[in-house]
Structures are given as C-alpha cells and as structure tokens.
Amino acid sequence: MTNIPNDPMMLLSFINTKLRDEYPDFQTLCYELELDSTKITDKLSQIGFTYHEDLNRFA
C-alpha cells in the first residue's frame, strides 16, 4: 500500500496530481497503488470534493 497524505487538502492535491500525470481514472489509481477508494472518496467528500469521471479529478 502506498503511503498517502492524511490531511484532506494534501490528499486532494496528491490524488489529483496522480490522476493528471499518471492514471487514466480513479479506479486504476486505487488498484495500482492498492488504495481503498471508499476511504479516499469519503475523506474528500467531507471537505466538499467528489470525483468527476469526465474531468478525471476531484472537484
């Protein structure tokens, strides 16, 4: 499992950067980095961000 930031804003930046630079979609990112997609989406939704498939980013 990849070590990811615990702070929600840092996590947002980390995930969106990975999506922009390395991964075609959120599910691929989670699979390849062995991350729990539900935990990430829950944490980011607490600060008002959701994944937008058409943008391939949390906004």
Side-chain angles (χ1 to χ4, degrees):
M1 180 172 203
T2 300
N3 193 11
I4 61 172
N6 193 39
D7 176 78
M9 290 305 290
M10 294 298 292
L11 178 62
L12 174 67
S13 178
F14 175 83
I15 295 295
N16 277 342
T17 298
K18 290 285 190 185
L19 288 169
R20 181 191 69 217
D21 296 344
E22 300 176 36
Y23 295 97
D25 58 62
F26 182 58
Q27 291 306 317
T28 302
L29 180 148
C30 290
Y31 176 77
E32 290 189 7
L33 297 180
E34 299 178 11
L35 301 174
D36 184 333
S37 63
T38 302
K39 286 183 182 180
I40 292 171
T41 55
D42 287 349
K43 185 170 249 186
L44 294 179
S45 72
Q46 292 173 359
I47 59 169
F49 291 87
T50 57
Y51 180 67
H52 296 271
E53 188 174 336
D54 57 326
L55 302 173
N56 192 33
R57 66 178 298 208
F58 282 83

